[in-house]
Amino acid sequence: MEFFKRIFAKKKNQEVVKIAENNEKKIQCNSENCGCKSCEHKEEKSGDYLKNICIQIETIPCEPNPYFVVNDESAKFFEEFEIRMTTIYRMYSINSIFLKEYQKVSRESLTSTRDNEKEFSKYSKCYFINNNAFKEIHHMSNLLNIFMIFEVLLKNITKDIAYDKHLDLEEIQNKNMSYLNSYILFLEEAMKNRFSLDENERNFIGIVRKIRNDYLHDYMTEIPESIEKEIVKIFNLRTGKRITVDEYFIENTCKIFGEIAKRLESSYWEYKNKFLEK
């Protein structure tokens, strides 16, 4: 009797494994629809326009951000800035992959509804709202995050050096200018001959700050013509190019803020070593 129990148990286990394998095959993308192509499962469809997205994304991307990496030993606020920049960089990359595929599949789905007036009307409204808003939110949220971590870095360096000079942060936060500009002014004075911003960097920080404030307070995403001209000069673009907050703008923001952070780190340690010698 025990022998037959073992045989039946073995057979049952084999069936369970077989069912699991079959289910896995149904879920996995085949060679025709993997690699960022749409993956359709007929049993899940309630209309010809409905499609599933199947994309391949590395779940643990370990590459460092290309904009700022701390020296072997550094202050905690520089290490935190690197971690935050890396997180934003990875999140932005993953979302960009998803949105690109989502919009491609959405266009295919919208085309599929053209023979059905009711479905086309319903789906086109959804499509155009998503198509217009998703990218804008994607880019602007990243710009807000990049600006935030840059401002926090400046604040933390300012707080540290202010402590050396027996000053409170509130004494440095000038009421007649933004906190960010107050921090920059203080750091340039405190680390004189070691750290300063050039005119392009100063103008660009002001531009990003204005874009960020307009978006936060009024959902404004249009960049004024006067600011467009400034960006064209800073990025060395052709005159008349329409400037928007897109991949190129995000890339350049990360590069410029990363370069400033590198100089800040170097200047900070020059200042600190000299301060500790006293």
Side-chain angles (χ1 to χ4, degrees):
M1 182 66 70
E2 194 64 33
F3 171 76
F4 286 111
K5 281 183 181 179
R6 286 201 301 272
I7 291 291
F8 287 130
K10 186 177 179 181
K11 188 175 180 182
K12 187 175 181 181
N13 288 337
Q14 287 174 340
E15 287 174 353
V16 169
V17 170
K18 192 172 181 181
I19 290 168
E21 287 175 348
N22 289 336
N23 287 338
E24 191 176 351
K25 284 178 183 176
K26 287 179 183 177
I27 294 169
Q28 288 177 345
C29 300
N30 60 38
S31 58
E32 293 179 354
N33 58 30
C34 68
C36 297
K37 291 185 178 179
S38 63
C39 181
E40 300 182 51
H41 303 295
K42 291 182 180 178
E43 66 273 16
E44 296 176 6
K45 290 169 64 177
S46 59
D48 290 340
Y49 63 95
L50 294 180
K51 301 187 178 198
N52 294 316
I53 298 175
C54 181
I55 56 178
Q56 292 179 331
I57 296 176
E58 187 180 351
T59 53
I60 309 178
C62 295
E63 73 280 5
N65 81 79
Y67 312 109
F68 178 80
V69 178
V70 295
N71 291 322
D72 292 337
E73 292 184 13
S74 192
K76 184 180 178 183
F77 35 79
F78 287 110
E79 292 173 353
E80 184 68 21
F81 180 76
E82 180 192 354
I83 290 169
R84 294 286 183 180
M85 180 66 86
T86 301
T87 304
I88 292 167
Y89 168 69
R90 291 176 183 170
M91 193 72 178
Y92 184 74
S93 300
I94 290 169
N95 284 340
S96 293
I97 292 169
F98 173 79
L99 279 177
K100 185 177 179 181
E101 182 62 15
Y102 178 86
Q103 289 182 322
K104 182 180 81 68
V105 174
S106 290
R107 283 193 298 272
E108 293 171 359
S109 298
L110 180 61
T111 303
S112 300
T113 66
R114 283 185 173 167
D115 293 334
N116 186 325
E117 187 177 344
K118 184 179 177 183
E119 291 292 352
F120 182 77
S121 175
K122 180 179 74 173
Y123 198 77
S124 60
K125 183 179 179 182
C126 171
Y127 171 79
F128 288 113
I129 289 173
N130 293 351
N131 197 49
N132 293 332
F134 281 8
K135 274 199 171 183
E136 174 199 303
I137 294 169
H138 173 53
H139 295 314
M140 289 304 302
S141 62
N142 275 276
L143 190 70
L144 300 184
N145 281 323
I146 294 161
F147 187 88
M148 176 192 69
I149 65 170
F150 181 70
E151 187 171 33
V152 169
L153 174 66
L154 293 179
K155 178 182 176 182
N156 286 332
I157 301 170
T158 299
K159 193 186 295 185
D160 183 89
I161 294 178
Y163 179 82
D164 294 341
K165 297 180 178 296
H166 308 290
L167 294 170
D168 291 327
L169 188 64
E170 290 73 19
E171 296 177 68
I172 295 159
Q173 291 169 333
N174 192 316
K175 299 296 183 289
N176 296 319
M177 64 174 71
S178 69
Y179 285 170
L180 183 67
N181 287 337
S182 296
Y183 302 147
I184 291 170
L185 194 66
F186 174 79
L187 292 174
E188 286 182 321
E189 182 63 32
M191 297 189 287
K192 197 177 288 183
N193 302 324
R194 296 187 184 90
F195 172 76
S196 64
L197 298 179
D198 64 33
E199 186 182 356
N200 277 349
E201 290 171 334
R202 206 179 298 277
N203 288 343
F204 185 70
I205 290 170
I207 287 167
V208 176
R209 180 175 167 272
K210 178 165 180 24
I211 293 170
R212 169 252 204 186
N213 287 347
D214 287 349
Y215 185 75
L216 276 178
H217 299 303
D218 298 310
Y219 296 124
M220 288 288 292
T221 58
E222 293 291 323
I223 297 178
E225 190 177 340
S226 57
I227 289 182
E228 280 192 339
K229 289 177 181 176
E230 283 294 321
I231 298 171
V232 165
K233 284 192 287 184
I234 293 168
F235 291 173
N236 196 26
L237 303 173
R238 62 176 173 79
T239 306
K241 178 175 172 57
R242 181 74 180 92
I243 306 296
T244 59
V245 178
D246 55 10
E247 293 92 342
Y248 185 76
F249 194 93
I250 296 292
E251 172 80 7
N252 277 282
T253 303
C254 289
K255 279 182 181 176
I256 292 172
F257 284 7
E259 284 299 320
I260 294 171
K262 287 174 191 174
R263 298 206 316 273
L264 270 170
E265 184 185 28
S266 173
S267 303
Y268 170 82
W269 286 115
E270 280 183 43
Y271 156 82
K272 210 68 177 174
N273 289 333
K274 192 156 187 176
F275 175 80
L276 294 172
E277 287 173 2
K278 293 179 183 178

